[in-house]
Amino acid sequence: MLIKNLIIPAMLLAVYPSVHADEGQWQPHQLPQLKAELKRIGITIPAEQLADLSKHPMSAIVSLAGCSASFVSPDGLVVTNHHCAYGAIQRNSTAEKNYIANGFLAKTRAEELPGGPTSHVYVTDKVENVTARVLEGLDKLSGRARHEAVESRIKTLIAECETDKSYRCSVPAFHRGAEYYRIRQMMIRDVRLVYAPAESIGNYGGDIDNYEWPRHTGDYSFLRAYVGKDGKPADPSPDNVPYKSKDFLVVSAEGLKNGDPILLAGYPGRTSRYKLPSEIRYARDLSYPQQVAEFQADLDTIDAATKGNEGNVVRYASVVKSINNRMKKTQGLLDGFARKDIAAIKDVQDADFRAWYAKQPGVSKSMLAELDAVIAADMALSDEEFAWNVATNSDLFKSARTLYRLALQRKKPDAERESGYQQRDVSFIKARLARLEQSYVGSVDQARYAAGLQRYAKLKAHPQGLDALLPVAADVPALYSASKLGDTATRLALMDKDVEAFTQSDDPCIKLAVKLNAVGQSLEDRRKEVDGNLEKVIPQYMGAVIAWKKSQGKPVYPDANSTLRVTYGTVAPYSPRDGVTKGPFTTVEGIVEKHTGKEPFNAPSALLQAVKGKRYGVFKDPVLGTVPVNFLSSADTTGGNSGSAIVNKRGELIGLNFDSTYESITKDWYFDPQITRAIHLDIRYMLWVMKEVDHADNLLQEMKIKYPKK
């Protein structure tokens, strides 16, 4: 076992005042320890206030499950990115009424459109450290037994928290399993689309400009949260009323300038800054290249299968956008690894750490060897899991397997069911099955599955026993033509069926799901074994790493894990290479310069005319002499931070996070303060478009906007 001073949880939270980089995705309760840093950059909000989730501005920050957002009116109005609301926009679009291309604006509450069954707003109101309740007494357990013990305790903690059905609770791990926090969130289930600009504004530059700078994208949209008349979350209903948000952000059109401080609050997805050099090399040399190739092949298949049918193009627009975004980020990581040898940097750090560790009294002599072995097992299993995903690249098959697994799990007491199949999860399963109504076409899914099977055959790592059970690509058309799972009512009806209904079914897709279930279950059981071993050794490793970092005065914060975090920084340009400086602002004139009249550089004529007429109004920046569009900051962000509120030193909304520069993508693994920059929407551009282009006067009047003093 490690010596005590390496593993005491309190030691994980300490922060040294000598930190000067803008690195760190901090848990709110850590912010009082950052008083000196916040004061140094010019933040005037008391750190204790930022740590309190019931106080402004944190009480206005919400999650959309995969994106971040914030309340901007007392009537549940939520602002986020255009790409975060893309699913709701696509859901309500048809070839004839294309809100993706043309935008959408509800002038009245009655005109607001349903966000769909998977649209939720989560308001975090309570976070508590439950590490002892999760880990106490597990020292002698390892492998699957340890993992299942942890999962069982987490289920108990969640069940205690969800006695009030208005709330959704979770117990995520921090510091790779060294700590656990129970998080309670009010889950609002009736979410409606209020306003989204045309794609030629909200996604100006498209995938060409994705992760690039200079950028000129109006990546914003508005949703509204609705609840029952009693003020509690309720299923979507015409009788529901706007949620009376406890707090909301004042929108500031006063602007900002180079060097100004900013705070960013949201729900960053995943970072990997504490991973080992071997894990970096695995991602760089094997995992990421495979993923990029798979993304591109799947996109090519969808493109070929939807070509010439505008309705099918619209149905798959959200899917394509998501795959494209993941592909470009993964390719960007590869390019970043090629540009800067992060593995070599980590080699040096790892060697220094191991040398320091060897000198510490009372430490485990076998811990590092155990760590290396379990990491190797994790990577080997990941290869097989990737192959499984390629071999089952079918929404129809995934629906069948989900339904069969639900039937199997329902035979158990609720507390013993797998996470994701408990009673608390049934509404989410139903929502996913129903969501296919707007994003599924049989011929397209069939093409994706047949192509996936052909790609799977070329992979080296195959799950044991899977090959003999899979159909050949030539048999896929018959499987789809004979299956009834493409019908939403049929899928939903199967949610209530027992196991026998599946084992005796004649539906070929259900028969395939039953046949492959044992292989899939074997993979999951092996994953539990590997994860249990990881969960035992990695917290010991992290305790030592954190003690080592503290001894050097370096920042100590957990990797991002989709929980509420705060980061800070300043408006700042950067130099990607010698003699080149970029940022920190772009302006509406740049939109005109990029405009070609063809996608993705096809700015609306109303916008071009407003720029030509210099109708800048109160949104004109006194230094730039025009309306700013996007800006850069040194804030520490990652995926999931999309839609995060950017506030000024007083806590007023001045921007929305939506991207990073291409040179910054590797920050998920290694933070380089010299070139790491996040890309934000300047709120003045949003307000200007709302006023001059889309005439969203009703929303401008609803928000509390602080205009520049004349």
Side-chain angles (χ1 to χ4, degrees), residues 13-15 19 21-31 34 554-558 564-568:
L13 306 178
V15 179
V19 178
D22 295 329
E23 176 182 358
Q25 296 174 344
W26 305 97
Q27 294 171 268
H29 72 258
Q30 292 182 285
L31 293 174
L34 289 163
K554 291 183 178 179
V556 178
Y557 56 89
L564 182 58
R565 303 295 181 92
V566 178
T567 180
Y568 57 86

Side-chain angles (χ1 to χ4, degrees), residues 83 203-215 217 321-333 574 582 632 637-640 642 658-668 677 679:
H83 75 262
N203 192 30
Y204 188 74
D207 290 320
I208 294 174
D209 269 5
N210 198 14
Y211 293 111
E212 299 295 344
W213 187 268
R215 196 71 172 273
T217 307
K321 187 177 182 66
S322 175
I323 297 172
N324 256 319
N325 194 54
R326 283 178 286 153
M327 182 177 72
K328 185 155 187 178
K329 177 169 183 176
T330 309
Q331 183 59 57
L333 284 163
Y574 75 109
K582 294 186 175 185
L632 299 172
T637 65
T638 189
S642 291
F658 72 93
D659 208 352
S660 297
T661 59
Y662 202 66
E663 296 85 359
S664 302
I665 292 178
T666 48
K667 69 181 180 298
D668 283 3
R677 294 294 181 270
I679 303 176

Side-chain angles (χ1 to χ4, degrees), residues 9 12-15 24-34 38 47 50-53 58 127-131 172-176 178-183 264-266 268 274 546 556-568:
L12 307 184
L13 306 178
V15 179
Q25 296 174 344
W26 305 97
Q27 294 171 268
H29 72 258
Q30 292 182 285
L31 293 174
Q33 301 169 61
L34 289 163
L38 296 173
L50 290 169
D52 191 335
L53 303 187
M58 299 305 294
V127 178
E128 53 187 326
N129 191 324
V130 293
T131 305
F174 292 75
H175 292 293
R176 301 192 79 178
E179 289 189 319
Y180 289 83
Y181 284 79
R182 179 165 62 183
I183 299 171
L264 184 153
Y274 295 102
I546 290 168
V556 178
Y557 56 89
D559 266 322
N561 61 353
S562 298
T563 59
L564 182 58
R565 303 295 181 92
V566 178
T567 180
Y568 57 86

Side-chain angles (χ1 to χ4, degrees), residues 351-478:
D352 289 347
F353 161 72
R354 291 178 187 240
W356 173 88
Y357 181 79
K359 297 176 183 177
Q360 305 309 304
V363 298
S364 168
K365 301 298 183 183
S366 62
M367 187 268 286
L368 292 177
E370 292 171 9
L371 175 71
D372 292 336
V374 75
I375 291 294
D378 176 46
M379 293 186 294
L381 181 56
S382 295
D383 291 343
E384 292 186 48
E385 290 167 331
F386 175 81
W388 166 269
N389 290 332
V390 175
T392 57
N393 186 32
S394 159
D395 286 332
L396 205 65
F397 171 80
K398 290 172 186 173
S399 297
R401 183 157 194 264
T402 295
L403 288 162
Y404 180 49
R405 295 194 69 191
L406 179 62
L408 289 168
Q409 293 297 317
R410 270 212 311 265
K411 294 169 65 178
K412 305 176 185 178
D414 193 59
E416 296 176 17
R417 296 183 193 177
E418 296 285 352
S419 296
Y421 291 91
Q422 292 181 280
Q423 194 57 41
R424 67 192 288 268
D425 304 307
V426 170
S427 63
F428 289 83
I429 293 173
K430 183 178 180 180
R432 291 198 302 272
L433 293 171
R435 179 70 178 85
L436 283 180
E437 181 78 29
Q438 284 78 35
S439 59
Y440 171 85
V441 176
S443 60
V444 180
D445 198 53
Q446 174 183 311
R448 295 178 75 189
Y449 189 34
L453 288 170
Q454 292 173 327
R455 294 193 298 273
Y456 166 78
K458 299 175 183 177
L459 296 175
K460 292 181 179 179
H462 286 193
Q464 185 175 0
L466 180 59
D467 293 17
L469 302 177
L470 289 171
V472 296
D475 292 339
V476 170

Side-chain angles (χ1 to χ4, degrees), residues 464-592:
Q464 185 175 0
L466 180 59
D467 293 17
L469 302 177
L470 289 171
V472 296
D475 292 339
V476 170
L479 185 151
Y480 274 79
S481 63
S483 178
K484 297 179 181 178
L485 284 182
D487 175 65
T488 300
T490 300
R491 290 195 301 275
L492 297 181
L494 284 166
M495 289 187 67
D496 299 321
K497 299 298 182 182
D498 59 17
V499 172
E500 190 176 11
F502 288 88
T503 56
Q504 295 184 358
S505 174
D506 291 328
D507 189 294
C509 201
I510 291 176
K511 291 173 73 173
L512 182 63
V514 172
K515 188 163 62 170
L516 298 190
N517 188 65
V519 177
Q521 190 60 53
S522 174
L523 279 173
E524 291 181 21
D525 290 344
R526 291 167 60 199
R527 170 49 62 192
K528 290 177 183 179
E529 179 72 19
V530 170
D531 282 353
N533 290 329
L534 287 167
E535 289 160 1
K536 182 173 184 177
V537 70
I538 284 193
Q540 300 174 43
Y541 167 72
M542 284 304 302
V545 167
I546 290 168
W548 173 61
K549 282 182 171 287
K550 281 186 61 206
S551 71
Q552 300 172 307
K554 291 183 178 179
V556 178
Y557 56 89
D559 266 322
N561 61 353
S562 298
T563 59
L564 182 58
R565 303 295 181 92
V566 178
T567 180
Y568 57 86
T570 56
V571 179
Y574 75 109
S575 177
R577 56 187 180 276
D578 183 54
V580 176
T581 300
K582 294 186 175 185
F585 289 97
T586 58
T587 70
V588 290
E589 274 68 27
I591 297 174
V592 177

Side-chain angles (χ1 to χ4, degrees), residues 95 302-314:
I302 295 172
D303 181 60
T306 57
K307 187 166 290 184
N309 189 317
E310 188 60 29
N312 291 353
V313 170
V314 170

